[in-house]
Amino acid sequence: MVQEHRAVCPRDCYDTCFLRVLVDEDGTITSVTGDPSHVITQGLTCPRAIKDPERVYTNRVLYPHMRKGPKPCDSFERTTWQSALDTIVGHLSAVLEQYGPESVLLLDYAGNTGLLSSVYSHRLWNLLGATRTDYGLCATSGHVALSFHYGRSYGLQPEDLPKMKLVVYWGFNAAVSSLHMWNLSKMAKRLNDAPLVVIDPRRSRSAEQADIWIRPLPGTDVALAYGVARHLIVNELIDEAFIKRWTVGFDAFRSEALKWTPERVASISGVKEEDIETLARLYSRRRPSATMIGVGFQKSILGAESVRAVSLIPALVGLHRGFFYSNTSAFSVNMSYLDGMDFVRHTPPTVSQVSLAESVRRGEFRFVFIYNMNPAMSIPNQEALRAGFSRDDVYVVVHETHWTETTPFADVVLPAGTYLEKDDLAIPWAHRYVAISQRVIPPQGESKSEVWVMHELAKRLGLHESWLYEPPWDAMRTALEPALESGTFADLLNGEVLRLKCHEASDYPTPSGKIELYVTGAEEKGISPVPYQVPLAVPDGQFILLSSALSKYSHTQFQEVYGAIPPVVQVHPKDARRLELEEGDVVRVYNSVGEILLKSIISDSVPEGVLWTPSLGADMNKTPLNTITSSSTQKIGGASTFNSTIVSLEKA
Ligand SMILES: Nc1nc2c(c(=O)[nH]1)N[C@H]1C(S)=C(S)[C@@H](COP(=O)(O)OP(=O)(O)OC[C@H]3O[C@@H](n4cnc5c(=O)[nH]c(N)nc54)[C@H](O)[C@@H]3O)O[C@H]1N2
Ligand SMILES: Nc1nc2c(c(=O)[nH]1)N[C@H]1C(S)=C(S)[C@@H](COP(=O)(O)OP(=O)(O)OC[C@H]3O[C@@H](n4cnc5c(=O)[nH]c(N)nc54)[C@H](O)[C@@H]3O)O[C@H]1N2
Ligand SMILES: [Mo]
């Protein structure tokens, strides 16, 4: 008999899809499809979930393994859990004793965002006081930027998209990175004739499908946003009553915005006056609107400034939080209970994920525990990072579902079950629906969960704190129960889909209790009170290199079923002519930190002076893209600046 299970996709993605998983008589997964009854998933399956039935059985780490040669090493020997755990604890204890807990690094990210797999499993490391990272690779700067103006960074609910009269995707390639919100936006178009606007320097898949595509140069969105604000202000298209009641600092904001004449905006951003006017008029006429701010475009030197600037437009036309960025701050799940921070008295040291590589190279961490992450691809400055992982005096443990580019740097590789092999619950980034993701098949090989591994390590370390061993679903209950709106934890355990409580759209926990168009106390916070624009300096003849997500891959995942992420770079035809390049030529893309070799695609999808390549790929010799990307952090919030990478390019 074919059995049907419900799983919830815990991958690091906007959509957190509810999935139907079919298992045949032999216990083999035969299909994974989007749940038609879920308000966001709407029965649509993305190219990744479709391939889960194949990927779950491909390239898996099935047993614990020990390294057999010098790092990086492709030769591993199978071992037992007992021996692997004893060896790991031997090294961990020695490092703790000799160098202290700050020399132990927990290096994890969002491979599986399930609360047990990714949060409860921090308890051991928090108790030890191990060094943690700030998770700055992705979205942190945008969150901080929005909280300056709005108190918290959450915005509109994706389920409201079909009601919108206008949807603007700003630096957000949702047709690829958030298929389900894109689908809901298309519903708005069908139902309300809502124009779909995309603002992107690149003709992305979203730009191709948009009604209106506006094309600023990279890093010039603050100027464009001010241009729109100025048009709204001088033409009296703003909502004065709303501004009076719900905002502070309008006069100061206004005097900054007035400086951004169409000529000045055009000279910086390349966007024509007509386009600024069209966008401003749409904002004033078509309400309510949704301004969808991409996490991707936030990953640049001025990313946080751009997010702030764009987010203020909906306030000018009288909308409470008329933007979306990421809704994690809307919910009140008790994470510090779940990850054990409520129980410990110290604050573990935190280091930047983005600029981590040099400190790893210097050997600042003698024991590195990696899970839910593929850092030997995803972190910038790969040469330094890989050199650090390869040191004899740095002990590296990787707990993984699949063999990855990071596993060759491990002293021990431990097998982990995928999300289809364990019960868990993920809190979405965007929508507010939660349900238990059921274990569909038994853990493959000798795979074990993150919770099990943590408890086994803790026991061997001789730790007795009872909270460390609290049954995980009891901890989950405590953390989650107060966050639920539509039912109880018992209902969840019975398989129901529940809604999370959200803060009100008009709740602004800023110092003034209102939307701060001009940020109170900005000086003490070390920021400009209003968004500011400085152009990215690109030396003559060099390029800005953009990188962004592909639909078939989740970062580095799914290469085992779809093949390698293509090692390609898009070059504008005029730049190609100047460099005498032909389609398919191999080019060196380089800067002071390194070089990679890519195949050129000549295309006016990118503007002159701008290159594009898929994020998180490797070049023709398997050198990661992140060998040459920027490892600078943003001033606000410390996030990555991948899209501010400056390179030269020449025929190889
Ligand atoms: N299929 C798939 N979906 C994913 C992911 C995945 O790996 N695969 N990853 C998930 C994760 S973790 C993330 S963070 C998100 C990322 O998803 P998005 O937020 O959509 O980010 P990107 O894919 O980087 O696309 C950002 C777009 O912004 C444009 N852009 C770059 N610089 C600028 C600029 O200065 N101004 C403007 N206006 N636009 C600019 C780029 O050309 C690009 O088209 O996707 C999530 N969804
Ligand atoms: N150049 C460039 N670099 C980038 C970006 C960019 O745009 N350009 N984007 C950045 C962004 S936004 C992000 S979010 C990061 C993503 O960076 P990473 O999180 O490092 O990327 P993934 O490839 O998704 O790695 C997740 C790993 O977790 C493993 N995994 C999955 N499920 C489980 C599980 O249940 N248990 C365990 N133990 N492991 C599991 C997967 O097999 C995979 O190897 O990359 C960043 N790097
Ligand atoms: Mo991300």
Side-chain angles (χ1 to χ4, degrees):
M1 251 250 305
V2 173
Q3 282 195 327
E4 186 181 305
H5 298 261
R6 179 178 56 221
V8 179
C9 179
R11 277 183 277 264
D12 188 14
C13 179
Y14 291 104
D15 293 355
T16 318
C17 289
F18 280 41
L19 302 170
R20 288 185 176 175
V21 185
L22 300 184
V23 178
D24 70 10
E25 298 83 354
D26 315 335
T28 305
I29 296 178
T30 54
S31 97
V32 176
T33 50
D35 183 344
S37 69
H38 189 264
V39 56
I40 308 298
T41 311
Q42 299 268 350
L44 223 107
T45 323
C46 94
R48 296 166 290 165
I50 281 184
K51 284 288 190 183
D52 268 334
E54 192 180 331
R55 183 172 185 263
V56 80
Y57 302 115
T58 310
N59 188 34
R60 290 292 301 274
V61 177
L62 293 173
Y63 308 99
H65 282 82
M66 303 275 214
R67 178 166 66 87
K68 264 176 50 184
K71 293 186 271 188
C73 178
D74 279 327
S75 167
F76 283 89
E77 195 165 40
R78 183 173 161 184
T79 183
T80 61
W81 270 104
Q82 175 81 10
S83 157
L85 291 166
D86 289 345
T87 312
I88 292 169
V89 169
H91 284 271
L92 177 54
S93 310
V95 169
L96 286 169
E97 195 166 314
Q98 207 179 337
Y99 301 101
E102 55 287 356
S103 334
V104 172
L105 176 68
L106 170 64
L107 188 49
D108 68 316
Y109 203 61
N112 180 334
T113 64
L115 289 178
L116 299 183
S117 303
S118 71
V119 184
Y120 174 84
S121 52
H122 289 160
R123 283 189 173 191
L124 166 66
W125 308 101
N126 286 337
L127 174 62
L128 293 176
T131 299
R132 304 269 313 266
T133 59
D134 64 354
Y135 304 108
L137 278 183
C138 185
T140 52
S141 290
H143 283 290
V144 177
L146 289 167
S147 62
F148 288 138
H149 298 280
Y150 292 92
R152 283 172 183 265
S153 58
Y154 65 92
L156 58 87
Q157 291 296 324
E159 66 198 274
D160 292 334
L161 280 168
K163 294 183 212 151
M164 297 298 164
K165 306 266 168 48
L166 164 71
V167 187
V168 179
Y169 278 90
W170 203 311
F172 188 161
N173 185 16
V176 165
S177 63
S178 180
L179 201 57
H180 300 82
M181 290 207 284
W182 187 248
N183 179 47
L184 296 176
S185 311
K186 287 195 160 170
M187 275 185 206
K189 187 174 155 148
R190 280 198 301 278
L191 296 170
N192 321 317
D193 214 13
L196 258 176
V197 179
V198 168
I199 304 181
D200 199 310
R202 187 172 69 90
R203 194 187 308 111
S204 63
R205 191 179 294 176
S206 308
E208 265 165 18
Q209 296 178 24
D211 298 303
I212 300 173
W213 171 33
I214 295 175
R215 185 178 211 181
L217 288 165
T220 65
D221 300 84
V222 177
L224 178 56
Y226 274 133
V228 173
R230 182 181 182 279
H231 187 96
L232 291 169
I233 293 167
V234 300
N235 293 289
E236 294 174 7
L237 300 173
I238 52 173
D239 185 333
E240 283 184 28
F242 180 93
I243 290 173
K244 208 157 169 215
R245 166 72 182 83
W246 293 102
T247 76
V248 293
F250 178 69
D251 290 343
F253 177 82
R254 178 176 181 277
S255 60
E256 177 60 31
L258 291 182
K259 295 178 195 158
W260 291 89
T261 59
E263 301 72 40
R264 186 170 170 217
V265 174
S267 75
I268 288 184
S269 70
V271 177
K272 293 185 301 247
E273 181 167 357
E274 306 94 87
D275 284 344
I276 300 168
E277 191 177 316
T278 304
L279 186 56
R281 293 205 170 268
L282 283 173
Y283 267 115
S284 77
R285 285 184 193 152
R286 303 203 57 98
R287 291 161 32 101
S289 61
T291 300
M292 310 296 286
I293 306 175
V295 169
F297 111 112
Q298 168 253 194
K299 292 180 267 180
S300 77
I301 286 287
L302 272 198
E305 296 296 336
S306 305
V307 170
R308 302 169 67 178
V310 172
S311 80
L312 297 178
I313 298 174
L316 297 178
V317 293
L319 300 172
H320 285 295
R321 296 185 190 266
F323 61 87
F324 166 85
Y325 176 68
S326 152
N327 282 342
T328 46
S329 71
F331 314 127
S332 16
V333 182
N334 190 344
M335 295 294 186
S336 60
Y337 182 84
L338 206 56
D339 73 6
M341 284 307 294
D342 281 359
F343 300 94
V344 298
R345 268 186 224 104
H346 52 254
T347 310
T350 303
V351 291
S352 158
Q353 213 169 37
V354 176
S355 55
L356 181 71
E358 284 299 344
S359 46
V360 175
R361 165 145 64 191
R362 286 193 298 269
E364 284 176 22
F365 309 105
R366 297 301 170 115
F367 182 98
V368 186
F369 192 88
I370 300 170
Y371 71 108
N372 278 329
M373 189 175 193
N374 189 7
M377 290 301 281
S378 54
I379 289 183
N381 200 356
Q382 279 296 318
E383 201 191 310
L385 187 77
R386 290 175 169 213
F389 285 162
S390 303
R391 290 170 63 123
D392 288 339
D393 57 357
V394 175
Y395 197 79
V396 179
V397 180
V398 176
H399 188 202
E400 250 296 349
T401 55
H402 290 73
W403 293 99
T404 66
E405 294 83 353
T406 302
T407 49
F409 297 91
D411 291 276
V412 183
V413 181
L414 303 174
T418 66
Y419 77 102
L420 296 164
E421 295 152 58
K422 54 200 171 200
D423 292 335
D424 208 338
L425 186 142
I427 302 297
W429 286 16
H431 68 74
R432 58 191 301 201
Y433 294 90
V434 288
I436 288 177
S437 185
Q438 294 168 348
R439 164 164 149 175
V440 176
I441 52 169
Q444 299 296 288
E446 293 181 3
S447 301
K448 295 287 186 186
S449 71
E450 292 63 28
V451 171
W452 185 87
V453 170
M454 172 182 84
H455 285 157
E456 289 301 313
L457 294 175
K459 278 188 233 162
R460 282 174 172 74
L461 286 165
L463 298 168
H464 299 298
E465 284 73 358
S466 60
W467 59 267
L468 198 53
Y469 304 97
E470 180 183 15
W473 286 92
D474 290 355
M476 179 88 97
R477 175 195 305 271
T478 305
L480 206 57
E481 190 110 68
L484 297 173
E485 177 182 86
S486 62
T488 63
F489 193 74
D491 298 331
L492 270 183
L493 294 178
N494 283 332
E496 283 186 35
V497 177
L498 299 186
R499 263 195 324 272
L500 294 169
K501 253 189 276 190
C502 295
H503 300 291
E504 287 293 318
S506 59
D507 180 18
Y508 300 113
T510 53
S512 61
K514 296 184 176 184
I515 302 168
E516 303 211 332
L517 297 172
Y518 186 93
V519 175
T520 311
E523 235 160 81
E524 298 95 84
K525 293 170 181 150
I527 59 159
S528 156
V530 291
Y532 79 92
Q533 174 78 63
V534 280
L536 185 62
V538 186
D540 235 14
Q542 295 186 18
F543 297 86
I544 301 177
L545 175 65
L546 304 180
S547 52
S548 54
L550 294 186
S551 57
K552 290 180 182 165
Y553 306 92
S554 241
H555 313 126
T556 66
Q557 302 175 65
F558 288 90
Q559 300 191 72
E560 45 281 276
V561 291
Y562 283 119
I565 293 171
V568 294
V569 61
Q570 288 181 346
V571 189
H572 189 272
K574 279 196 186 152
D575 291 320
R577 220 167 298 138
R578 175 168 63 80
L579 296 162
E580 297 178 3
L581 287 185
E582 312 244 357
E583 176 89 4
D585 278 349
V586 176
V587 292
R588 280 178 68 220
V589 182
Y590 63 97
N591 54 26
S592 61
V593 275
E595 71 167 56
I596 57 174
L597 293 178
L598 298 171
K599 238 186 214 160
S600 59
I601 296 176
I602 297 169
S603 162
D604 63 2
S605 286
V606 285
E608 268 182 86
V610 177
L611 306 171
W612 176 83
T613 187
S615 61
L616 289 153
D619 82 344
M620 305 181 67
N621 300 325
K622 300 215 157 46
T623 304
L625 163 66
N626 279 328
T627 305
I628 60 165
T629 49
S630 163
S631 55
S632 304
T633 53
Q634 293 185 47
K635 195 172 145 215
I636 297 177
S640 58
T641 58
F642 294 111
N643 287 323
S644 301
T645 298
I646 308 292
V647 294
S648 298
L649 179 143
E650 63 185 35
K651 209 158 153 169

